[in-house]
Amino acid sequence: MAYITSRLGLNFTLLRPGFIGELGMREGRANDIINDGFVAAICAAADVIIIADTLPDARPILQSLLKSNPAERCRSKIVVELTNRFDWGVYDFDQYHQLIWEVTQAKPENLFWVANNAFEAKVMADDCNATPEFRILRPSGHSDVPEQVRLRKRLDHPLTYHLQDVSEEARSKAMMRELDKSEVLGTMLKMKIPFTRVVGHYGGPKTLAKYKAYIEFPYQVSTMKFYENLAAGVHMLIPSPKFFKELIESRIHAFGPWEMLRRMGPDWYRHMDYFIPEFSPYVQYFNSFEHLKEILEDPQFESKSRIRKTAPIMYQNVVTDVLNGWAELFEEMGFKVLVDGKPRREVSGIQKFSVPAKYPQPADINGWKVLYQQIKSWKEAQREEQNMIWEENERKLTNLQQKIKQAAKENRIYQFIKDEQISDDSEFQYRVLDYLHDELGKQAVFGGSLIEEKTFELTTELSQLLGLFESEKNLRFEPSDFIRFGYLARFFHAFHSLKVKSKSDPALAEKISPSLSKIDDASQKLTRALYPWLPIEDNQTIDSVWSSFSGRGIVFTFPTSGYARGVHLILTIRNILKCDLPIEIFYIGDKDLSPEKRESLEMLPGVKTIDIKDRFPRVENVFGFNIKPFVILASSFREVIFMDDDVTLLQSPNFFVNDSKLFKKYGTMYFLDRSFSRGNSEWVRSILPMPSLVSEHSRYMTDVSRDEQESSLIVLDKGRLAILHALLCACHMNLKESRDGALHVHTHGDKESFWIAHELVRAPYEFVPGIGGAAGFFRTKDGVQEHEVICGPQSHVDEKGRLLHFNGLVLKQKDNFSEGYLEFHHFVAPVRENPGNVDIGYHPWCVHSRVPEKEVFEIIQSDKETLDSVIKLHKELVEAGFNVTKFL
């Protein structure tokens, strides 16, 4: 306004009304200001008062016009210049809207209405049924902000700049300003649309004109920046009306005035300056994000654009009309003014108009109040209709759009884009690893990335893979960032596998020989970056650890408090199941397992105790169940049969491993946990760019169960490279920083880390069929035995449906010998999912079968005899005080 008045040769005093009341001043406060004489003082001092921008700030002046005493009314000429602030910040809408209607109906001769856009007049008509005579006088588009020549890149967001230097790189792209939480920003980054993002002050229109273009997703129907950009010849890229509506109604773009604009009907865009015919030839519209990308990547973009030249010429003509329009208004108010020192000319482009009211005008204020309730009901119905559209469209969002929405909500757009880039790049890793696992041309596979492929050019894929790895400027990652960790771990798995397989496969060796030194170098770097705790010297490789494993053996880890359980299980294995496999027992220093107990344990045949700190001295703060993967890795055995100390076995370890087809195929024996309740796979899916076909159909990934794996018994063949890498990954997941920041936040204990680790590094596995059940006795309720409910320790069957082991003791109460022993005569082996079928309110816990004829079985005689022997052995140990010398 100051620029306009200067061109008209007028002197104006700027008054900022903040000192007389808060934004959205209420009726009572406005009356107080009138009664205090403030309005009278201002009006006595000014010939003309222009209420610019925020109309509610001038509420005392408007209310004075309705005073019954003429002496209290403001007598100055009053110009209401509306932008987007007709009722901005108002609290008492009913009273304020009544004021607007009453003032427009009173038609004071000293009150004149001006707007810089058609939106405000329409909103006033819709909200208040107020239809004063308006004239549109556009902003001048003048900006005295000098061109800025410095732009500084933000270190945290490499695609984002602070104003400091408009570099050649930045200038060659379109500029955009979007908030960190913007879904539009996330979408454009994901689609790799070329642009420069500037946060904070952008430098004004002269600076914007230096860029290839300016991308704007409008936040208002009209902004000063829009007119300034037209005047400065900024090439503006704006969503088309159709695309803009799609973005708003899918809530990808937040647009405050949409509720009001939408009420204006199918021609809503005619009330938004960005789309009106007067200016549309000087703005370039895009119909989708894809269209925007196409526009910006067009090598002929600059040569096609005439906006930089034509827009300033057009807007200079608009400004000329506006200046003469203001001069005409002042003449109407009784003041003769000049335009740039010359008499004004007649203006044909600026006309007075009134917006037709939606409803007939009522005769009096009482009639208006009735009508106003109708208006409010209509607006509420429109609001509910829009909410329904939003809800419906939210259900239609793609998976990617939902992810971007969530990332925006959590203010992690840039981290999300990094994760998504990893996801995109991971495809090459998965393809190479699935190829190395012999999946090409097969349907029944673990991974599935090559199902549709008939040929596979390893040299091409490897070149892509090495290119991606070499683009990694550093190998750093946060321990709990399993997305980044998994990405790097898959590189390691792929490179290591290629290197090892090439030694026994001449054809493969020939294909990769040109890249072998790069593969070897990458493996070395990744070993140290991913697993710095491994005891590998500078002149050693991961193969020095891998080659040290040999044979098959049993592994335990337990503290002094687990000594009695451990002794009982070891003697069960030796004396009842007749298995002589060597046994290693790991502990963490003397405070964990006392020297006296270790001495007793080593008296048992084939038993050795090992302090894990001797194997992994760099591992800190790993204990309890989180030490399991480290123990399995630390063991000298290639084929490790790991057991908790409270497991009860019914088959010899040697027998069930040799009899397992899954172990022969994958080198794993994993068992499924019971289904305590339904789950949520959101976190696991968020860290796995491409889950395997095996996991996609799992209970966990289909949200059927919150628990997938039960880890009291695990069998792994560490001699297989895929198993080694999965185990290394599981170890990382159980480090303190990793488990505190991720694993324990989303899962319970160590158990899920094993199969998730396989997924992260793309190592094939499969669970032993059959869900965790229970072995023991029928539950009795109200004196009636329930033959479909079995109570007892968690039981597992082998691949042939035979009872294999319990995750629990034969005692009624763990470690309480005086309570006696459980009765074992039946077991339940669930064959279908039944979340919540575990009764934890009963001791011991019970499992309920929905199809007992298929799931509940009597324990066979030989297993009953084995259990009798296990119980008898325990009684003897109790009697002997667990003195192992009596059992040698």
Side-chain angles (χ1 to χ4, degrees):
M1 202 60 227
Y3 176 77
I4 295 290
T5 55
S6 69
R7 297 274 303 263
L8 298 178
L10 299 172
N11 292 318
F12 268 84
T13 300
L14 178 65
L15 175 65
R16 299 187 184 278
F19 70 94
I20 60 171
E22 61 181 3
L23 183 67
M25 187 187 305
R26 296 177 188 271
E27 180 182 24
R29 174 58 178 159
N31 280 328
D32 289 342
I33 292 170
I34 296 171
N35 295 334
D36 288 342
F38 187 77
V39 170
I42 289 179
C43 294
D47 296 317
V48 179
I49 297 174
I50 300 178
I51 303 168
D53 197 39
T54 309
L55 179 57
D57 284 344
R59 189 167 183 169
I61 293 174
L62 293 183
Q63 286 184 195
S64 78
L65 298 176
L66 298 178
K67 291 294 184 180
S68 57
N69 182 359
E72 294 183 87
R73 300 174 195 162
C74 181
R75 296 181 181 180
S76 302
K77 303 297 183 183
I78 303 166
V79 179
V80 174
E81 186 206 14
L82 292 181
T83 56
N84 301 310
R85 302 296 189 268
F86 142 65
D87 56 5
W88 180 261
V90 169
Y91 296 98
D92 54 341
F93 277 104
D94 292 7
Q95 292 85 352
Y96 182 78
H97 287 165
Q98 178 180 323
L99 167 66
I100 297 299
W101 183 80
E102 287 188 283
V103 167
T104 58
Q105 289 301 109
K107 297 180 181 179
E109 292 184 355
N110 62 330
L111 180 62
F112 303 85
W113 294 86
V114 171
N116 69 12
N117 62 80
F119 174 77
E120 286 296 321
K122 176 63 172 166
V123 175
M124 274 182 54
D126 286 349
D127 285 11
C128 313
N129 221 51
T131 59
E133 185 178 71
F134 274 93
R135 70 188 82 199
I136 290 185
L137 295 173
R138 302 289 183 189
S140 68
H142 172 75
S143 172
D144 55 8
V145 177
E147 177 189 333
Q148 306 292 311
V149 293
R150 293 183 61 75
L151 193 75
R152 178 169 54 85
K153 186 176 287 190
R154 279 175 59 174
L155 297 178
D156 54 339
H157 297 163
L159 299 177
T160 301
Y161 294 80
H162 285 301
L163 194 61
Q164 221 180 47
D165 182 24
V166 184
S167 64
E168 289 298 326
E169 175 194 2
R171 211 177 300 164
S172 67
K173 298 178 183 177
M175 193 270 261
M176 185 177 77
R177 301 174 73 228
E178 280 287 318
L179 298 174
D180 287 348
K181 292 185 176 184
S182 165
E183 292 174 48
V184 165
L185 173 65
T187 304
M188 291 180 62
L189 290 172
K190 171 63 179 171
M191 293 183 64
K192 298 183 179 178
I193 295 174
F195 69 95
T196 297
R197 177 176 175 241
V198 173
V199 297
H201 183 52
Y202 63 92
K206 297 183 181 68
T207 304
L208 285 186
K210 294 293 183 181
Y211 290 89
K212 179 176 184 176
Y214 174 61
I215 307 166
E216 182 172 11
F217 293 80
Y219 66 91
Q220 264 294 359
V221 297
S222 172
T223 62
M224 294 299 110
K225 179 172 60 193
F226 176 68
Y227 307 111
E228 292 170 358
N229 290 346
L230 287 171
V234 176
H235 189 121
M236 288 185 281
L237 292 167
I238 309 290
S240 66
K242 181 176 181 293
F243 184 44
F244 191 60
K245 182 181 179 184
E246 288 174 8
L247 292 172
I248 297 168
E249 295 208 320
S250 59
R251 284 186 165 172
I252 291 173
H253 176 60
F255 183 68
W258 180 242
E259 181 181 326
M260 295 173 281
L261 203 57
R262 180 181 175 275
R263 293 199 300 260
M264 297 176 187
D267 292 337
W268 58 268
Y269 56 90
R270 295 186 181 277
H271 299 276
M272 187 168 173
D273 281 5
Y274 288 86
F275 303 124
I276 61 174
E278 183 180 355
F279 299 137
S280 59
Y282 308 97
V283 174
Q284 186 169 5
Y285 300 106
F286 52 91
N287 302 317
S288 64
F289 286 114
E290 290 80 7
H291 186 204
L292 174 61
K293 186 175 184 181
E294 180 186 324
I295 291 171
L296 291 172
E297 291 180 346
D298 183 354
Q300 305 301 316
F301 177 87
E302 292 288 351
S303 61
K304 290 179 181 178
S305 173
R306 299 179 65 248
I307 291 174
R308 294 186 190 279
K309 294 180 179 179
T310 58
I313 296 171
M314 175 278 299
Y315 207 74
Q316 184 55 50
N317 293 331
V318 171
V319 173
T320 299
D321 284 349
V322 166
L323 289 168
N324 286 280
W326 276 104
E328 182 182 63
L329 172 59
F330 274 98
E331 283 187 16
E332 192 175 320
M333 292 188 292
F335 304 97
K336 189 76 172 178
V337 298
L338 301 176
V339 178
D340 293 330
K342 299 176 183 179
R344 75 167 184 87
R345 61 175 175 79
E346 293 298 321
V347 181
S348 59
I350 296 176
Q351 299 176 349
K352 298 177 184 179
F353 70 97
S354 292
V355 176
K358 183 177 177 62
Y359 303 96
Q361 287 296 349
D364 54 29
I365 189 60
N366 291 327
W368 179 86
K369 288 180 178 178
V370 173
L371 172 62
Y372 187 64
Q373 294 307 313
Q374 286 181 250
I375 293 174
K376 289 171 70 174
S377 298
W378 168 67
K379 288 165 61 177
E380 182 59 32
Q382 292 285 310
R383 189 176 298 119
E384 290 177 4
E385 184 179 292
Q386 179 59 63
N387 288 335
M388 289 175 64
I389 291 172
W390 273 329
E391 290 173 8
E392 181 182 352
N393 288 341
E394 190 131 355
R395 290 191 290 269
K396 295 177 182 177
L397 292 177
T398 65
N399 184 47
L400 176 60
Q401 287 172 328
Q402 290 173 349
K403 286 181 178 179
I404 292 174
K405 188 174 289 292
Q406 186 62 33
K409 189 181 297 184
E410 296 170 358
N411 197 17
R412 52 183 300 276
I413 285 291
Y414 278 89
Q415 183 60 48
F416 166 76
I417 294 302
K418 289 180 184 177
D419 295 346
E420 283 293 297
Q421 187 61 54
I422 287 175
S423 178
D424 292 344
D425 294 344
S426 294
E427 181 182 352
F428 295 102
Q429 299 176 326
Y430 287 123
R431 288 170 58 81
V432 170
L433 286 166
D434 287 353
Y435 172 80
L436 292 173
H437 296 146
D438 196 28
E439 293 192 9
L440 183 64
K442 298 178 181 178
Q443 296 296 311
V445 294
F446 166 75
S449 68
L450 301 176
I451 283 180
E452 303 298 327
E453 303 287 333
K454 294 184 178 179
T455 60
F456 185 86
E457 292 295 332
L458 178 60
T459 52
T460 303
E461 300 281 342
L462 178 57
S463 175
Q464 293 274 15
L465 198 64
L466 283 167
L468 287 172
F469 178 73
E470 288 167 359
S471 70
E472 291 291 323
K473 295 181 180 177
N474 64 69
L475 301 179
R476 293 194 296 270
F477 57 91
E478 291 296 322
S480 60
D481 183 357
F482 291 169
I483 298 173
R484 169 88 175 146
F485 175 83
Y487 181 61
L488 296 176
R490 286 189 295 278
F491 274 125
F492 187 23
H493 183 195
F495 292 147
H496 191 200
S497 297
L498 284 164
K499 176 185 172 184
V500 171
K501 285 178 179 288
S502 68
K503 293 178 181 179
S504 58
D505 186 339
L508 178 63
E510 184 178 353
K511 289 180 181 178
I512 71 169
S513 60
S515 305
L516 195 55
S517 62
K518 290 184 178 180
I519 290 172
D520 192 48
D521 182 60
S523 296
Q524 290 276 55
K525 290 177 179 177
L526 286 162
T527 302
R528 285 163 172 74
L530 293 168
Y531 309 111
W533 43 267
L534 279 173
I536 298 176
E537 302 301 327
D538 290 342
N539 61 343
Q540 293 179 316
T541 68
I542 186 65
D543 293 331
S544 63
V545 174
W546 186 47
S547 62
S548 67
F549 307 137
S550 63
R552 177 186 292 173
I554 299 168
V555 174
F556 297 105
T557 178
F558 52 78
T560 299
S561 60
Y563 168 79
R565 299 190 294 272
V567 166
H568 179 233
L569 181 50
I570 292 169
L571 288 175
T572 296
I573 292 168
R574 291 284 188 257
N575 298 349
I576 298 174
L577 301 176
K578 306 302 181 184
C579 175
D580 60 359
L581 286 173
I583 295 173
E584 292 178 345
I585 302 171
F586 284 85
Y587 62 95
I588 315 170
D590 291 347
K591 292 182 179 180
D592 185 33
L593 185 60
S594 68
E596 295 79 13
K597 298 303 183 186
R598 299 201 304 268
E599 184 179 351
S600 294
L601 288 165
E602 292 200 347
M603 294 173 66
L604 296 169
V607 174
K608 182 179 180 180
T609 62
I610 304 167
D611 189 340
I612 198 167
K613 296 295 287 184
D614 293 339
R615 299 284 170 92
F616 297 140
R618 299 172 194 164
V619 174
E620 300 288 344
N621 297 312
V622 177
F623 43 80
F625 38 60
N626 293 107
I627 204 172
K628 287 183 188 180
F630 290 95
V631 164
I632 296 172
L633 182 64
S635 168
S636 63
F637 307 130
R638 168 179 168 160
E639 296 180 356
V640 177
I641 305 168
F642 174 86
M643 282 178 271
D644 283 349
D645 55 34
D646 60 351
V647 161
T648 297
L649 281 177
L650 285 94
Q651 296 181 28
S652 165
N654 244 340
F655 172 79
F656 69 71
V657 173
N658 288 336
D659 199 48
S660 171
K661 291 181 180 179
L662 288 177
F663 185 75
K664 288 183 177 68
K665 183 176 182 179
Y666 296 112
T668 65
M669 286 187 74
Y670 288 147
F671 296 88
L672 292 165
D673 204 346
R674 290 178 286 199
S675 299
F676 291 92
S677 65
R678 291 192 175 275
N680 186 335
S681 61
E682 183 178 343
W683 173 69
V684 173
R685 288 190 177 280
S686 75
I687 64 173
L688 299 179
M690 188 185 294
S692 71
L693 294 182
V694 167
S695 71
E696 281 287 22
H697 298 100
S698 69
R699 304 177 307 158
Y700 194 97
M701 297 293 272
T702 54
D703 298 333
V704 169
S705 176
R706 72 175 192 194
D707 303 281
E708 184 72 2
Q709 185 169 351
E710 196 275 308
S711 62
S712 65
L713 173 59
I714 291 173
V715 186
L716 293 176
D717 179 359
K718 298 185 297 183
R720 306 191 192 202
L721 270 183
I723 302 302
L724 173 66
H725 282 272
L727 185 57
L728 286 166
C729 180
C731 287
H732 171 82
M733 294 174 75
N734 282 275
L735 291 170
K736 178 173 174 53
E737 299 89 342
S738 304
R739 64 179 190 259
D740 288 354
L743 185 66
H744 285 187
V745 175
H746 302 283
T747 68
H748 177 69
D750 67 291
K751 60 195 188 75
E752 311 298 352
S753 67
F754 290 96
W755 71 269
I756 295 175
H758 277 263
E759 292 288 332
L760 280 171
V761 302
R762 199 61 156 200
Y765 70 99
E766 193 174 322
F767 282 97
V768 174
I771 301 161
F777 53 91
F778 297 131
R779 183 175 69 184
T780 300
K781 200 168 186 179
D782 299 327
V784 178
Q785 272 193 347
E786 298 174 303
H787 288 193
E788 70 278 10
V789 183
I790 307 297
C791 303
Q794 180 172 188
S795 61
H796 294 279
V797 296
D798 63 16
E799 293 157 52
K800 296 178 180 177
R802 299 170 300 198
L803 203 54
L804 174 57
H805 73 284
F806 311 152
N807 178 14
L809 303 173
V810 291
L811 292 165
K812 287 183 177 179
Q813 294 280 353
K814 186 175 182 178
D815 297 333
N816 189 340
F817 310 145
S818 63
E819 290 292 322
Y821 298 86
L822 290 169
E823 179 185 359
F824 294 95
H825 54 73
H826 280 78
F827 70 97
V828 56
V831 295
R832 74 174 194 178
E833 203 50 60
N834 183 20
N837 67 338
V838 183
D839 180 2
I840 63 174
Y842 196 92
H843 185 81
W845 290 355
C846 307
V847 174
H848 185 276
S849 172
R850 299 295 183 194
V851 283
E853 67 278 6
K854 295 181 180 180
E855 297 180 338
V856 176
F857 306 93
E858 184 176 2
I859 297 174
I860 61 174
Q861 185 59 36
S862 59
D863 286 346
K864 287 181 179 179
E865 291 171 0
T866 298
L867 285 167
D868 287 343
S869 298
V870 170
I871 292 171
K872 180 175 179 292
L873 172 63
H874 192 271
K875 290 178 178 177
E876 292 171 353
L877 281 166
V878 171
E879 187 176 344
F882 288 88
N883 184 348
V884 299
T885 58
K886 296 183 180 181
F887 297 86
L888 299 177

